[in-house]
Amino acid sequence: MINIIGLGYIGLPTALAFSAKGIEVVGTDYNVNLVQQLNSGRVTFEEKGLEELYIDAVKNGVQFSVNYQHADIYLIAVPTPYDKISKKIDPSYVINAVTRTLEVCNVDAVIIIESTVSPGTTDSFIRPLVEKFNKKVHLVHAPERIIPGNMVYELAHNSRTIGADSSEIGERVAKIYREITDGEVIITDIKTAEMTKVVENTFRAVNIAFANELAKICRYDNMDVYEIIKICNMHPRVKILNPGPGVGGHCIPVDPWFLVGDYPSLTKVIGEALEINESMPEYVLSRIMSIMKDNGLKDISRVGLYGLTYKENVDDYRESPSLQLLESQEKHLAEPLKAYDPWVKQKITKNQYFDFDTFLNDVDLVVIMVKHDEIKSNISKLEGKIVFDTQNIIKSGRVYKL
Ligand code: SAJ
């Protein structure tokens, strides 16, 4: 039996994937409401293919509980936020989960940590805990890699990294992961596994920052950044990502800070890249101001943000560029812009709409912050509006770009 600790965006799909393959799984989360919802037959967030996976897992007897189980294998998928001031990782959730696991686990249990941690976290925070308990267990770090929007597919196909203290434990855990993925499963040591995860997300953050910087240069000197990136990417060794209104989510804007926090004097490129990404929502605000001037639009209440989530076709709005933008507006004591997102059903900002047409009726300038499928297939509805397309989804007509 595998006891999966933390039933959020990573833990839940992972628990369901193992169970759907016929492995006995108990998912544990301290959030009573979440466990109740899962036990009452409903998944807790929207994700392509998740419901189907849930149905298969329920058929196979997956269980959800607030209690940690007596087991031989644990998989920990709890959040690892970072301290906004020191930029260092906050391992308290992982520490708490491992402590509770150590209280109940069988001797010789394997504790797999999937949560993203900075290199050295296992050595500095987790091993001392294990020593304190004086219980023989095996620690493994197997960083998650699945991308929201395509999680179920990626769980089944991504290659995986298993960091373990011995090849014997590494192989034992690799065998478990091979049940759910047809991707390659690589065994390495724990610190290397910790580092690879942070490096993967840092690579993406730096590449996006490069694209964002290019967007600013091109805007300043009146060049088309999208045309330039398109042509450059035809070079066999160039692959520039897309500029955008900012970088959101709980991974790309967060994990690279672990490196900056731990190695401040060695992370010049990374630090600057993160600053560039963080400057984008404010940059969008300044573009909105100049577009309003351009069109003689004086009333800020006629400006609306399309999209509140951190990226397209997901319901997760953590650290989203739109929320960063609204926060920055708030700092200037400005009335928040109108906003609408088809994926966000609860109220998360003051002037929020829940119906696309009503939203469109109430604004003259539409700022496309997120390229949800909904807007992509309803571009014609924007006719007659001033449009600021930060996502480059509209290819013709008079549209403002980043
Ligand atoms: N973004 C851009 N330009 C791009 C691509 C993305 O501005 O060209 C923005 C998105 O709009 C979004 C943010 O970056 O706001 C992050 O989105 P994402 O799709 O790049 O990544 P995440 O956060 O959804 O998932 C990432 C993935 N990591 C990598 O691709 C290296 C995923 O595999 C990880 O599992 C996940 O982080 C994680 O949890 O660590």
Side-chain angles (χ1 to χ4, degrees):
M1 187 255 281
I2 307 183
N3 188 193
I4 298 194
I5 314 296
L7 296 172
Y9 285 100
I10 301 302
L12 179 64
T14 308
L16 301 181
F18 276 114
S19 175
K21 288 287 175 188
I23 294 166
E24 194 187 342
V25 171
V26 179
T28 296
D29 200 293
Y30 71 175
N31 180 340
V32 184
N33 293 337
L34 185 136
V35 169
Q36 265 171 2
Q37 184 171 338
L38 290 170
N39 280 330
S40 72
R42 280 175 305 133
V43 291
T44 39
F45 63 95
E46 277 192 56
E47 173 68 33
K48 191 172 63 196
L50 193 65
E51 263 183 33
E52 291 82 343
L53 201 61
Y54 175 81
I55 291 166
D56 288 347
V58 169
K59 271 188 211 143
N60 284 348
V62 67
Q63 291 177 48
F64 304 104
S65 166
V66 287
N67 300 318
Y68 285 62
Q69 309 293 308
H70 297 289
D72 292 317
I73 300 167
Y74 295 84
L75 193 157
I76 291 174
V78 295
T80 39
Y82 75 103
D83 183 281
K84 288 224 159 85
I85 311 254
S86 71
K87 309 291 190 199
K88 288 198 178 194
I89 191 175
D90 166 8
S92 54
Y93 292 93
V94 178
I95 290 175
N96 186 45
V98 173
T99 308
R100 307 259 335 255
T101 301
L102 285 164
E103 282 164 6
V104 295
C105 70
N106 297 335
V107 173
D108 254 335
V110 178
I111 304 176
I112 306 166
I113 297 174
E114 280 215 12
S115 310
T116 306
V117 293
S118 57
T121 298
T122 307
D123 285 345
S124 319
F125 296 101
I126 310 300
R127 287 195 205 280
L129 273 183
V130 175
E131 274 159 31
K132 209 171 91 191
F133 270 83
N134 200 17
K135 205 173 202 180
K136 190 176 174 222
V137 296
H138 307 280
L139 294 174
V140 167
H141 183 51
E144 60 88 6
R145 265 183 172 168
I146 50 179
I147 196 147
N150 203 23
M151 285 177 156
V152 175
Y153 176 87
E154 290 206 351
L155 260 177
H157 301 291
N158 280 1
S159 64
R160 298 297 299 249
T161 317
I162 310 294
D165 289 336
S166 71
S167 53
E168 185 210 329
I169 293 296
E171 198 40 62
R172 213 167 111 197
V173 172
K175 214 170 135 206
I176 301 169
Y177 278 95
R178 285 193 195 107
E179 295 282 338
I180 55 166
T181 183
D182 57 17
E184 221 174 304
V185 184
I186 302 280
I187 298 165
T188 184
D189 62 85
I190 290 180
K191 195 166 179 185
T192 303
E194 290 172 333
M195 186 64 174
T196 57
K197 167 65 194 203
V198 178
V199 168
E200 286 162 14
N201 280 354
T202 303
F203 169 81
R204 199 156 166 85
V206 171
N207 193 333
I208 296 169
F210 179 60
N212 283 335
E213 187 156 273
L214 291 179
K216 286 183 176 176
I217 296 171
C218 292
R219 168 64 41 210
Y220 177 77
D221 212 13
N222 207 16
M223 291 178 273
D224 181 345
V225 69
Y226 302 106
E227 176 78 354
I228 289 162
I229 291 177
K230 185 178 91 190
I231 296 171
C232 292
N233 281 349
M234 290 167 128
H235 184 291
R237 282 170 295 283
V238 177
K239 178 78 191 85
I240 306 167
L241 290 171
N242 302 311
V247 173
H250 233 53
C251 314
I252 308 282
V254 176
D255 303 353
W257 282 118
F258 301 165
L259 291 178
V260 180
D262 284 346
Y263 312 105
S265 65
L266 300 172
T267 43
K268 301 275 185 270
V269 170
I270 300 168
E272 283 296 323
L274 295 174
E275 302 281 355
I276 290 166
N277 289 341
E278 288 187 357
S279 76
M280 291 314 285
E282 188 84 41
Y283 179 73
V284 170
L285 260 183
S286 65
R287 288 282 299 137
I288 293 175
M289 204 170 74
S290 77
I291 293 166
M292 285 177 73
K293 267 193 196 145
D294 232 29
N295 290 277
L297 189 66
K298 295 210 170 60
D299 184 1
I300 193 156
S301 76
R302 299 296 300 173
V303 180
L305 300 177
Y306 177 90
L308 284 165
T309 59
Y310 85 92
K311 66 176 190 179
E312 66 277 13
N313 305 326
V314 299
D315 62 4
D316 187 348
Y317 49 80
R318 291 177 298 177
E319 321 266 340
S320 83
S322 291
L323 290 183
Q324 291 176 43
L325 185 152
L326 291 168
E327 214 173 275
S328 139
Q329 255 201 302
E330 203 183 334
K331 274 191 210 138
H332 297 108
L333 305 175
E335 176 72 5
L337 292 174
K338 291 188 165 134
Y340 159 76
D341 191 306
W343 287 75
V344 181
K345 309 277 195 274
Q346 68 275 50
K347 199 166 168 61
I348 59 167
T349 169
K350 194 174 161 205
N351 298 319
Q352 189 178 344
Y353 285 69
F354 297 93
D355 177 70
F356 190 23
D357 294 327
T358 322
F359 165 74
L360 283 179
N361 264 333
D362 284 1
V363 298
D364 297 320
L365 167 55
V366 181
V367 184
I368 302 175
M369 296 290 284
V370 185
K371 49 177 188 262
H372 289 307
D373 285 348
E374 182 203 56
I375 184 110
K376 281 164 99 184
S377 49
N378 279 294
I379 300 286
S380 60
K381 285 195 173 177
L382 298 174
E383 216 165 285
K385 304 284 173 199
I386 308 161
V387 179
F388 174 22
D389 175 13
T390 71
Q391 293 285 358
N392 193 33
I393 55 173
I394 302 175
K395 306 290 179 196
S396 62
R398 193 165 169 272
V399 174
Y400 291 91
K401 296 285 168 89
L402 267 184

